[in-house]
Amino acid sequence: MKSVYIHIPFCKDICSYCDFCKLKYNRDWVKKYLETLKEEVLNYYKGEKIYSIYVGGGTPTILNADELNMLFDIINIFDLSESAEFTVECNVESLTKEKLILFKKNKVNRLSMGIQTFNEKYLELLNRKHTVEQTFEIMEVANIIGFNNINLDLMYALPNQTIDMLKKDLEIFMKLNPAHISCYSLMIEPNTTLYIDKTKNIDEEIDLKMYNYIKS
């Protein structure tokens, strides 16, 4: 084993497109989950050198300081290489300066920010809770603290989205000067709010044009 993925399934709000394993945040459930995670690591980890760790979700940044410290105590069981990439997924609205400082203290060196879009109409459709202003503010704080390896998630092929809308989104993304942008075409999956609401996928030809534009 060279890499570790840790799933934190808890969220304050559920995104309308999300079909990942997730639960509404509950302090008792988080405590039990982390206790069980520690047992699993102690039982199955064999002391291998670890070269990458990714903490995803769910919403890892929904955890409070005590819960994050408990999580990092578990992660410290691993023999982490000095050159390891250590990523935490972040939601803008639940990320704070204090949490960023805690991340830095615990050797997190990469952030993956769930932005998706800066279009307010689509933020509401996707049930994302951040604003453009919040994103710029927390990115500035992250840079000041010393995080220079930041990924931003961009979602495209949204209902009735046009190429011009996508271009505008990309312009704002580029202003943040991320190290990397992960681009995802919206897929409407069963058992999601968008599926239940009978939201339709965008025309495949437009989806392809958007993909090619991003790629270029």
Side-chain angles (χ1 to χ4, degrees):
M1 181 173 68
K2 295 184 178 181
S3 301
V4 173
Y5 173 77
I6 295 176
H7 189 68
I8 304 298
F10 302 100
C11 299
K12 180 180 179 182
D13 300 285
I14 305 300
C15 297
S16 61
Y17 57 88
C18 180
D19 68 337
F20 295 135
C21 175
K22 72 276 185 183
L23 297 164
K24 283 278 191 174
Y25 175 86
N26 178 294
R27 184 170 295 180
D28 292 335
W29 292 355
V30 171
K31 184 175 184 293
K32 181 62 176 176
Y33 183 84
L34 292 174
E35 289 172 347
T36 304
L37 175 63
K38 183 175 182 178
E39 290 178 11
E40 182 175 350
V41 172
L42 290 172
N43 286 335
Y44 293 102
Y45 174 59
K46 303 303 181 184
E48 304 98 322
K49 183 73 73 174
I50 302 300
Y51 295 91
S52 69
I53 293 182
Y54 192 102
V55 180
T59 309
T61 48
I62 198 65
L63 302 186
N64 62 37
D66 289 340
E67 293 160 348
L68 285 170
N69 278 317
M70 188 174 177
L71 174 63
F72 287 126
D73 284 343
I74 296 167
I75 291 173
N76 284 336
I77 296 170
F78 295 107
D79 182 9
L80 193 61
S81 167
E82 290 186 6
S83 61
E85 182 176 84
F86 185 172
T87 304
V88 175
E89 276 187 9
C90 306
N91 277 17
V92 171
E93 71 277 7
S94 59
L95 187 57
T96 64
K97 179 181 178 180
E98 290 71 26
K99 290 179 184 179
L100 285 166
I101 291 172
L102 185 59
F103 291 172
K104 198 71 175 176
K105 177 183 175 183
N106 285 278
K107 301 180 181 179
V108 175
N109 53 27
R110 182 174 181 267
L111 306 176
S112 184
M113 308 277 279
I115 306 300
Q116 317 312 341
T117 179
F118 285 115
N119 183 301
E120 292 185 2
K121 178 182 74 172
Y122 288 128
L123 285 173
E124 182 176 357
L125 176 73
L126 299 174
N127 202 30
R128 305 295 296 191
K129 300 301 182 181
H130 63 269
T131 66
V132 176
E133 291 76 16
Q134 285 177 314
T135 303
F136 274 83
E137 288 171 3
I138 202 64
M139 283 288 288
E140 183 179 5
V141 172
N143 289 328
I144 291 171
I145 289 172
F147 287 100
N148 51 26
N149 189 3
I150 301 178
N151 167 72
L152 304 180
D153 287 348
L154 165 66
M155 186 173 285
Y156 67 97
L158 304 171
N160 300 312
Q161 188 180 32
T162 65
I163 290 286
D164 286 340
M165 290 177 180
L166 174 62
K167 289 179 180 179
K168 185 174 182 180
D169 247 353
L170 281 168
E171 288 172 3
I172 302 174
F173 269 76
M174 296 307 294
K175 286 179 181 179
L176 290 168
N177 195 31
H180 185 264
I181 298 177
S182 296
C183 300
Y184 305 89
S185 172
L186 173 64
M187 301 294 291
I188 299 174
E189 303 289 354
N191 301 315
T192 63
T193 301
L194 290 180
Y195 181 88
I196 293 169
D197 290 344
K198 302 186 184 303
T199 305
K200 300 298 183 183
N201 282 307
I202 202 167
D203 184 84
E204 288 186 358
E205 290 188 6
I206 299 175
D207 192 329
L208 179 60
K209 287 179 181 178
M210 291 180 172
Y211 169 78
N212 287 330
Y213 178 79
I214 292 169
K215 190 172 68 170
S216 66

